[in-house]
Amino acid sequence: MEQQFKLRQIEDALRHPESAKEDIITVFMALQHQCFVLSNNVSNLVRQWPTPTSQDRPTTDEGTSKFGSLFETKD
């Protein structure tokens, strides 16, 4: 809700007849810079995220379950 209010304030300020083109360019460039920074941070986070090794993953016996199956029918 607060973000919508702030966005509305920015939009109103940019649409104001006395808004200078330089102000709009400044806002646009700051937002674009912020988008690039966030994109780079997410890319770095994903690239550096630890991946589990085969030793980290629990293994299970691939035999039949001792508890049966939901789809098992008895004749």
Side-chain angles (χ1 to χ4, degrees):
M1 193 61 132
E2 184 179 337
Q3 290 176 347
Q4 288 177 332
F5 177 70
K6 289 186 184 266
L7 282 173
R8 180 61 194 254
Q9 282 182 318
I10 292 169
E11 182 181 357
D12 289 347
L14 291 174
R15 292 185 185 277
H16 195 274
E18 295 177 6
S19 294
K21 181 179 178 182
E22 293 79 24
D23 294 338
I24 295 171
I25 291 171
T26 301
V27 170
F28 175 78
M29 293 303 293
L31 291 172
Q32 191 63 52
H33 177 76
Q34 190 174 32
C35 284
F36 288 151
V37 169
L38 290 172
S39 175
N40 289 340
N41 285 340
V42 170
S43 294
N44 288 336
L45 179 65
V46 169
R47 190 177 325 108
Q48 295 175 9
W49 196 265
T51 55
T53 63
S54 60
Q55 295 172 353
D56 295 335
R57 294 185 199 134
T59 56
T60 58
D61 183 19
E62 293 184 17
T64 57
S65 171
K66 64 181 179 180
F67 298 109
S69 172
L70 284 175
F71 303 106
E72 186 175 322
T73 58
K74 300 212 180 216
D75 293 329

Short mmCIF file of all heavy atoms in Angstrom, two decimals, residues 13-43:
data_model
loop_
_atom_site.label_atom_id
_atom_site.label_comp_id
_atom_site.label_asym_id
_atom_site.label_seq_id
_atom_site.Cartn_x
_atom_site.Cartn_y
_atom_site.Cartn_z
N ALA A 13 4.29 13.91 -9.62
CA ALA A 13 5.38 14.89 -9.75
C ALA A 13 5.91 14.94 -11.17
O ALA A 13 6.20 16.03 -11.69
CB ALA A 13 6.50 14.54 -8.77
N LEU A 14 6.02 13.79 -11.82
CA LEU A 14 6.53 13.77 -13.20
C LEU A 14 5.54 14.37 -14.18
O LEU A 14 5.93 14.96 -15.18
CB LEU A 14 6.89 12.34 -13.60
CG LEU A 14 8.09 11.73 -12.89
CD1 LEU A 14 8.25 10.26 -13.27
CD2 LEU A 14 9.36 12.50 -13.20
N ARG A 15 4.26 14.20 -13.91
CA ARG A 15 3.23 14.74 -14.80
C ARG A 15 2.92 16.22 -14.55
O ARG A 15 2.21 16.85 -15.31
CB ARG A 15 1.95 13.92 -14.68
CG ARG A 15 2.08 12.52 -15.22
CD ARG A 15 0.75 11.78 -15.17
NE ARG A 15 0.88 10.42 -15.56
CZ ARG A 15 0.89 9.99 -16.83
NH1 ARG A 15 0.78 10.83 -17.81
NH2 ARG A 15 1.01 8.70 -17.09
N HIS A 16 3.48 16.76 -13.50
CA HIS A 16 3.23 18.17 -13.17
C HIS A 16 3.78 19.04 -14.29
O HIS A 16 4.88 18.80 -14.80
CB HIS A 16 3.90 18.51 -11.84
CG HIS A 16 3.43 19.78 -11.25
ND1 HIS A 16 3.99 20.99 -11.58
CD2 HIS A 16 2.45 20.03 -10.35
CE1 HIS A 16 3.37 21.95 -10.91
NE2 HIS A 16 2.44 21.39 -10.16
N PRO A 17 3.03 20.07 -14.69
CA PRO A 17 3.48 20.92 -15.81
C PRO A 17 4.83 21.60 -15.59
O PRO A 17 5.54 21.89 -16.55
CB PRO A 17 2.37 21.98 -15.93
CG PRO A 17 1.22 21.47 -15.16
CD PRO A 17 1.73 20.46 -14.19
N GLU A 18 5.20 21.80 -14.35
CA GLU A 18 6.46 22.48 -14.07
C GLU A 18 7.65 21.51 -13.98
O GLU A 18 8.77 21.93 -13.72
CB GLU A 18 6.34 23.29 -12.78
CG GLU A 18 5.35 24.42 -12.88
CD GLU A 18 5.19 25.17 -11.58
OE1 GLU A 18 5.94 24.88 -10.63
OE2 GLU A 18 4.30 26.03 -11.50
N SER A 19 7.41 20.22 -14.17
CA SER A 19 8.50 19.24 -14.11
C SER A 19 9.44 19.46 -15.29
O SER A 19 9.02 19.53 -16.44
CB SER A 19 7.95 17.81 -14.17
OG SER A 19 7.19 17.53 -13.03
N ALA A 20 10.70 19.56 -14.96
CA ALA A 20 11.71 19.77 -16.00
C ALA A 20 12.11 18.43 -16.61
O ALA A 20 12.09 17.38 -15.95
CB ALA A 20 12.93 20.45 -15.39
N LYS A 21 12.45 18.49 -17.87
CA LYS A 21 12.90 17.28 -18.59
C LYS A 21 14.11 16.68 -17.88
O LYS A 21 14.24 15.45 -17.80
CB LYS A 21 13.24 17.64 -20.03
CG LYS A 21 13.69 16.48 -20.86
CD LYS A 21 13.99 16.90 -22.28
CE LYS A 21 14.51 15.75 -23.09
NZ LYS A 21 14.85 16.15 -24.47
N GLU A 22 14.98 17.49 -17.34
CA GLU A 22 16.18 17.01 -16.66
C GLU A 22 15.81 16.19 -15.42
O GLU A 22 16.47 15.21 -15.10
CB GLU A 22 17.08 18.19 -16.25
CG GLU A 22 17.70 18.93 -17.41
CD GLU A 22 16.72 19.90 -18.08
OE1 GLU A 22 15.76 20.35 -17.41
OE2 GLU A 22 16.90 20.20 -19.26
N ASP A 23 14.74 16.60 -14.72
CA ASP A 23 14.30 15.85 -13.55
C ASP A 23 13.80 14.46 -13.94
O ASP A 23 14.08 13.47 -13.28
CB ASP A 23 13.18 16.59 -12.81
CG ASP A 23 13.66 17.89 -12.19
OD1 ASP A 23 14.88 18.01 -11.96
OD2 ASP A 23 12.82 18.77 -11.95
N ILE A 24 13.06 14.41 -15.04
CA ILE A 24 12.54 13.12 -15.52
C ILE A 24 13.69 12.22 -15.94
O ILE A 24 13.71 11.03 -15.65
CB ILE A 24 11.53 13.34 -16.65
CG1 ILE A 24 10.31 14.09 -16.11
CG2 ILE A 24 11.11 12.02 -17.29
CD1 ILE A 24 9.33 14.56 -17.16
N ILE A 25 14.66 12.79 -16.61
CA ILE A 25 15.84 12.01 -17.02
C ILE A 25 16.59 11.49 -15.80
O ILE A 25 17.01 10.32 -15.77
CB ILE A 25 16.76 12.86 -17.92
CG1 ILE A 25 16.08 13.11 -19.27
CG2 ILE A 25 18.12 12.20 -18.10
CD1 ILE A 25 16.80 14.12 -20.15
N THR A 26 16.72 12.33 -14.77
CA THR A 26 17.41 11.91 -13.55
C THR A 26 16.70 10.74 -12.89
O THR A 26 17.33 9.75 -12.49
CB THR A 26 17.51 13.10 -12.57
OG1 THR A 26 18.23 14.15 -13.20
CG2 THR A 26 18.21 12.69 -11.29
N VAL A 27 15.38 10.83 -12.79
CA VAL A 27 14.61 9.75 -12.18
C VAL A 27 14.74 8.48 -13.01
O VAL A 27 14.97 7.37 -12.47
CB VAL A 27 13.12 10.15 -12.02
CG1 VAL A 27 12.28 8.96 -11.62
CG2 VAL A 27 12.97 11.26 -11.00
N PHE A 28 14.60 8.60 -14.33
CA PHE A 28 14.70 7.43 -15.19
C PHE A 28 16.07 6.77 -15.08
O PHE A 28 16.17 5.54 -14.95
CB PHE A 28 14.44 7.81 -16.65
CG PHE A 28 14.65 6.68 -17.60
CD1 PHE A 28 13.71 5.68 -17.74
CD2 PHE A 28 15.84 6.59 -18.33
CE1 PHE A 28 13.92 4.62 -18.60
CE2 PHE A 28 16.05 5.53 -19.18
CZ PHE A 28 15.09 4.54 -19.33
N MET A 29 17.13 7.56 -15.10
CA MET A 29 18.48 7.00 -15.02
C MET A 29 18.73 6.34 -13.67
O MET A 29 19.35 5.28 -13.60
CB MET A 29 19.53 8.09 -15.29
CG MET A 29 19.50 8.63 -16.71
SD MET A 29 19.72 7.35 -17.97
CE MET A 29 21.40 6.87 -17.65
N ALA A 30 18.22 6.94 -12.59
CA ALA A 30 18.39 6.33 -11.27
C ALA A 30 17.66 4.99 -11.20
O ALA A 30 18.19 4.01 -10.66
CB ALA A 30 17.88 7.28 -10.19
N LEU A 31 16.45 4.93 -11.74
CA LEU A 31 15.70 3.68 -11.73
C LEU A 31 16.36 2.62 -12.60
O LEU A 31 16.40 1.44 -12.24
CB LEU A 31 14.26 3.92 -12.19
CG LEU A 31 13.39 4.72 -11.23
CD1 LEU A 31 12.05 5.06 -11.88
CD2 LEU A 31 13.18 3.96 -9.93
N GLN A 32 16.88 3.03 -13.74
CA GLN A 32 17.56 2.07 -14.62
C GLN A 32 18.82 1.54 -13.95
O GLN A 32 19.10 0.34 -14.01
CB GLN A 32 17.91 2.74 -15.95
CG GLN A 32 18.38 1.77 -17.00
CD GLN A 32 17.30 0.76 -17.36
OE1 GLN A 32 16.19 1.12 -17.68
NE2 GLN A 32 17.64 -0.51 -17.31
N HIS A 33 19.56 2.41 -13.29
CA HIS A 33 20.76 1.99 -12.57
C HIS A 33 20.38 0.99 -11.47
O HIS A 33 21.05 -0.04 -11.30
CB HIS A 33 21.45 3.21 -11.96
CG HIS A 33 22.66 2.88 -11.15
ND1 HIS A 33 23.87 2.53 -11.71
CD2 HIS A 33 22.84 2.81 -9.81
CE1 HIS A 33 24.74 2.27 -10.75
NE2 HIS A 33 24.13 2.44 -9.58
N GLN A 34 19.31 1.28 -10.75
CA GLN A 34 18.86 0.38 -9.69
C GLN A 34 18.46 -0.98 -10.26
O GLN A 34 18.75 -2.03 -9.67
CB GLN A 34 17.70 1.01 -8.94
CG GLN A 34 17.31 0.27 -7.69
CD GLN A 34 16.25 1.02 -6.91
OE1 GLN A 34 15.42 1.70 -7.49
NE2 GLN A 34 16.29 0.89 -5.61
N CYS A 35 17.81 -0.99 -11.41
CA CYS A 35 17.43 -2.26 -12.05
C CYS A 35 18.68 -3.08 -12.42
O CYS A 35 18.70 -4.29 -12.22
CB CYS A 35 16.60 -2.00 -13.30
SG CYS A 35 14.90 -1.53 -12.95
N PHE A 36 19.70 -2.41 -12.95
CA PHE A 36 20.93 -3.11 -13.30
C PHE A 36 21.60 -3.69 -12.06
O PHE A 36 22.07 -4.82 -12.06
CB PHE A 36 21.91 -2.18 -14.02
CG PHE A 36 21.50 -1.83 -15.43
CD1 PHE A 36 21.87 -0.62 -15.98
CD2 PHE A 36 20.76 -2.71 -16.21
CE1 PHE A 36 21.51 -0.30 -17.28
CE2 PHE A 36 20.39 -2.39 -17.50
CZ PHE A 36 20.77 -1.18 -18.04
N VAL A 37 21.65 -2.92 -10.98
CA VAL A 37 22.28 -3.38 -9.75
C VAL A 37 21.53 -4.60 -9.20
O VAL A 37 22.14 -5.61 -8.83
CB VAL A 37 22.34 -2.25 -8.69
CG1 VAL A 37 22.74 -2.79 -7.33
CG2 VAL A 37 23.33 -1.17 -9.14
N LEU A 38 20.20 -4.52 -9.16
CA LEU A 38 19.42 -5.65 -8.66
C LEU A 38 19.59 -6.88 -9.54
O LEU A 38 19.71 -8.01 -9.05
CB LEU A 38 17.94 -5.26 -8.58
CG LEU A 38 17.59 -4.26 -7.49
CD1 LEU A 38 16.14 -3.81 -7.63
CD2 LEU A 38 17.83 -4.85 -6.12
N SER A 39 19.61 -6.68 -10.84
CA SER A 39 19.79 -7.80 -11.77
C SER A 39 21.15 -8.46 -11.56
O SER A 39 21.26 -9.69 -11.53
CB SER A 39 19.66 -7.30 -13.20
OG SER A 39 19.95 -8.32 -14.11
N ASN A 40 22.19 -7.65 -11.42
CA ASN A 40 23.53 -8.20 -11.19
C ASN A 40 23.60 -8.94 -9.86
O ASN A 40 24.23 -10.00 -9.77
CB ASN A 40 24.57 -7.09 -11.22
CG ASN A 40 24.78 -6.53 -12.61
OD1 ASN A 40 24.46 -7.17 -13.60
ND2 ASN A 40 25.29 -5.33 -12.68
N ASN A 41 22.95 -8.40 -8.84
CA ASN A 41 22.98 -9.06 -7.54
C ASN A 41 22.27 -10.41 -7.58
O ASN A 41 22.76 -11.39 -7.02
CB ASN A 41 22.33 -8.17 -6.47
CG ASN A 41 23.21 -7.03 -6.05
OD1 ASN A 41 24.41 -7.06 -6.25
ND2 ASN A 41 22.61 -6.01 -5.47
N VAL A 42 21.14 -10.48 -8.24
CA VAL A 42 20.41 -11.74 -8.34
C VAL A 42 21.23 -12.75 -9.16
O VAL A 42 21.33 -13.92 -8.79
CB VAL A 42 19.01 -11.53 -8.95
CG1 VAL A 42 18.35 -12.86 -9.29
CG2 VAL A 42 18.14 -10.75 -7.99
N SER A 43 21.83 -12.29 -10.25
CA SER A 43 22.66 -13.18 -11.06
C SER A 43 23.83 -13.74 -10.26
O SER A 43 24.12 -14.94 -10.32
CB SER A 43 23.20 -12.44 -12.29
OG SER A 43 22.16 -12.08 -13.15
#
